[in-house]
Amino acid sequence: MQAAASTTDASVRAAQRGDPGAWRTLLSEHGPVVFAICRRLDPDPEDAYQVIWEKVVGALHRFDPRGPRPLRSWITTIAHRTLVDRHRRRTVRNVVVPFAEPPEPQDAGDLESDVDQARRVEHLERALAQLPETQRRVIVLHHLHGHDLPDLARTEGVAIGTLKSRLHRGRARLQVLLGGTP
Amino acid sequence: MNDAELDALLGELPTTAAVPPEIDAAVLDGIQAAPARRSWAPIAVAAAILLSLGIGALTGGALHPPPTLVLTAGTQLVDGQALVLAGDREVTISGRARISVEPPGGLAREGGQEATEAMLDKTHALAALAGSLVTVAVYQGSATISGPETEPITVDAGEQKTVGTPAPAPQVRRVVRAAPSPEPAVQVRLDGDADPEAVIAALQAELATLRTQQSLAEGQLAAVQGEPEPWPDDVPDAFRPAAFERALRTAVDEEGAGDVLVVDCSEFPCLTVLKPAPYDGQGTSPEVQAVIDRLSEALGDAGIGVYNSKTGDGVNDLLLSGLAFTPADARDDDLATRSSWRMEGHLKGLSEDLMGQTEDEDVDQQ
């Protein structure tokens, strides 16, 4: 894979024509973001990553580089939709998704003394993994990837109020898991 | 940890993964093929109709997954993601939308028993597959209407679009109703003057017809009513009838939220209808909202359905709030359809009992 280069309108159009070099650029620029989402939101991130890119490949010809939506947002919305579908299928099949062991609750003092950023991030990642998928999706895509709540609600197929409730409950649970009260 | 500290911590999380996996060769093959792709919508529509009819005849109309509904006439509210075969159109829903199908002859304008009988009329239903008027109103999300002769049409939230031109064949219904009933085939056999092979052929044809009728009828019923869901073995205890009712009544009492009129745990999930304490305002009363919040907290990760109903003349109104709590992992579109149908029955029944009318009822699902 080549070094990242900015995905310009011209390179998107080249990718739409099937140009391998343009696709390499596109993958190198957006692949790490998509995979980060997969790792946080799907129990089989490698498989989810392939499925998402398969969908992007199939749909890119419909993307308008001059449209209002940036390519990254368009791709991560496809990722979101794919992950929602996968979650529903897992639910139908009653697959139990294993997560990491729950973190030991810490009090605020402990956390403040935990100045090491890597540890804080690791702690938060583990707490995130404890959230139900619906809550985790909205937190990750809203707080980390900047998706609007109305867009997220549309893709989830729920009312905006339901989504806000998930966000609220997810944040409250995170706060408890990270130590302290919401 | 307060909200600001949590936001700051979330801001520290990386938004990229260092080493994403290589893309599969099969996916890369698709890159080469992508520009040459063409729309398969017309073929997909025909295939979906044939598939739904074929599978419907074998399974009685139950298609899982994905949720596929067959709507030949009338109106259906869809909430979630579903594929609806509406007349000769394929409507892909992602969100909340109302679909109306008016087959040739204006069936959708009819009501009550007559419409129901007509919907179940095999020949009429089959005729509806061509030349129907399909109207899609999207309240949330979007819908795509695909048809055999047109480009896909996207309907976004807040929009309503109608497609199709009814075929000028209103007389079809009369012809069908005037057609001889299947009885002669049986009569021939009883008279003993018919070729046995012809009798068998006639019976087989009749059986095929009845199976088609059955699958279409069951598809219609399933689309409107859903199907009862068994209680999952692993449902959390808090959602089970006794615990749910206990938590509900405690919350309603302590919040002064009004009266509990219905607790229906005959199917999964439990539903309840509350008559809120009088309040000035629209939608959910503050006390009922407090009950919702408390139950949400007690039940954990739950999908919440809230149905507010208002019946009356503006002076003597009856307000009802229906609530449904489902474990988040158990939610799916079929369950939502079934719960909506159950709840609608309760709300209409209570409105009739308490007000003696349903004409002015306005049910708003949040």
Side-chain angles (χ1 to χ4, degrees), chain B:
Chain B
M1 171 174 289
N2 60 32
D3 282 341
E5 289 170 334
L6 178 60
D7 286 335
L9 197 53
L10 284 167
E12 292 182 16
L13 285 181
T15 57
T16 62
V19 188
E22 291 294 326
I23 298 296
D24 284 349
V27 177
L28 294 173
D29 289 345
I31 290 174
Q32 303 298 330
R37 287 190 176 185
R38 49 162 291 184
S39 170
W40 290 92
I43 297 171
V45 170
I49 291 172
L50 291 173
L51 191 62
S52 68
L53 289 173
I55 295 176
L58 294 174
T59 65
L63 301 173
H64 306 286
T68 302
L69 312 177
V70 179
L71 184 63
T72 56
T75 299
Q76 172 64 39
L77 183 66
V78 176
D79 196 350
Q81 294 193 333
L83 172 67
V84 181
L85 305 180
D88 59 345
R89 310 282 165 163
E90 181 188 74
V91 184
T92 307
I93 308 287
S94 178
R96 192 157 179 253
R98 183 180 295 277
I99 303 173
S100 299
V101 176
E102 184 175 352
L107 175 63
R109 294 199 185 102
E110 299 170 358
Q113 186 67 21
E114 184 184 1
T116 306
E117 287 175 357
M119 272 192 284
L120 301 185
D121 182 296
K122 171 214 52 167
T123 309
H124 196 92
L126 291 177
L129 294 178
S132 302
L133 272 181
V134 177
T135 301
V136 179
V138 176
Y139 307 119
Q140 198 176 85
S142 64
T144 303
I145 310 170
S146 304
E149 80 286 2
T150 57
E151 288 295 308
I153 298 169
T154 300
V155 188
D156 292 318
E159 291 183 337
Q160 173 174 311
K161 291 182 180 173
T162 300
V163 297
T165 303
Q171 70 276 19
V172 166
R173 219 174 133 200
R174 294 191 198 99
V175 171
V176 170
R177 295 203 164 183
S181 73
E183 288 177 3
V186 178
Q187 190 63 45
V188 168
R189 185 181 60 175
L190 291 176
D191 289 346
D193 59 356
D195 177 1
E197 288 185 4
V199 171
I200 291 171
L203 289 172
Q204 286 176 332
E206 180 61 15
L207 181 61
T209 298
L210 291 172
R211 281 180 173 157
T212 303
Q213 278 183 284
Q214 181 190 12
S215 64
L216 286 168
E218 290 181 351
Q220 288 282 354
L221 285 175
V224 175
Q225 299 183 359
E227 293 171 342
E229 292 271 352
W231 280 83
D233 292 334
D234 57 351
V235 67
D237 288 342
F239 288 87
R240 294 193 180 279
F244 173 81
E245 183 168 0
R246 193 163 51 244
L248 170 73
R249 291 190 184 281
T250 300
V252 169
D253 287 346
E254 293 182 1
E255 296 296 340
D259 300 319
V260 179
L261 301 184
V262 171
V263 179
D264 173 9
C265 296
S266 62
E267 292 178 22
F268 174 73
C270 286
L271 307 179
T272 183
V273 179
L274 309 180
K275 183 182 177 188
Y279 72 106
D280 296 322
Q282 300 289 320
T284 309
S285 76
E287 293 81 11
V288 171
Q289 187 58 51
V291 169
I292 294 170
D293 293 342
R294 283 184 56 161
L295 287 177
S296 300
E297 197 65 36
L299 295 172
D301 190 31
I304 305 165
V306 182
Y307 305 73
N308 287 317
S309 159
K310 180 180 177 183
T311 309
D313 55 10
V315 178
N316 298 309
D317 288 334
L318 172 66
L319 304 174
L320 299 172
S321 289
L323 309 178
F325 293 85
T326 311
D329 286 342
R331 292 187 74 196
D332 61 33
D333 296 336
D334 294 338
L335 195 62
T337 299
R338 183 68 178 178
S339 296
S340 294
W341 180 76
R342 291 170 63 202
M343 187 64 82
E344 194 174 332
H346 283 305
L347 293 173
K348 286 186 174 175
L350 285 167
S351 297
E352 285 179 337
D353 292 346
L354 300 175
M355 297 290 284
Q357 62 173 320
T358 57
E359 291 298 316
D360 297 326
E361 186 172 62
D362 175 22
V363 177
D364 170 34
Q365 183 185 4
Q366 295 179 346

Side-chain angles (χ1 to χ4, degrees), chain A residues 1 16-18 20 23 27 31-33 35-36 39-40 46 49-50 53-54 57-58 85 87-88 91 94 111-112 117 120-121 124-125 128 132 134-135 139 143-145 154-155 157-160 162 166 169 171 174-175 178-181, chain B residues 1-7 9-24 27-32 34-35 37 65 79-81 94-95 140-142 157 234 296-297 300-304 328-333 366:
Chain A
M1 191 169 286
Q16 288 173 325
R17 289 193 301 271
W23 270 101
L27 282 167
V33 175
F35 191 53
R39 284 177 62 178
R40 290 195 174 102
E46 284 81 8
Y49 184 75
Q50 303 295 341
W53 278 109
E54 191 176 355
V57 165
D85 286 344
H87 179 205
R88 286 180 177 163
T91 303
N94 271 333
L111 195 57
E112 282 174 12
Q117 183 191 11
R120 285 206 307 272
V121 167
L124 179 55
E125 294 277 21
L128 263 177
T134 51
Q135 295 175 8
I139 286 177
H143 285 303
L144 273 62
H145 296 278
R154 259 194 299 279
T155 305
V158 299
I160 185 73
T162 304
R166 288 179 184 173
R169 281 184 283 140
R171 286 178 60 98
L174 268 186
Q175 288 171 315
L178 292 169
T181 54
Chain B
M1 171 174 289
N2 60 32
D3 282 341
E5 289 170 334
L6 178 60
D7 286 335
L9 197 53
L10 284 167
E12 292 182 16
L13 285 181
T15 57
T16 62
V19 188
E22 291 294 326
I23 298 296
D24 284 349
V27 177
L28 294 173
D29 289 345
I31 290 174
Q32 303 298 330
R37 287 190 176 185
D79 196 350
Q81 294 193 333
S94 178
Q140 198 176 85
S142 64
D234 57 351
S296 300
E297 197 65 36
D301 190 31
I304 305 165
D329 286 342
R331 292 187 74 196
D332 61 33
D333 296 336
Q366 295 179 346

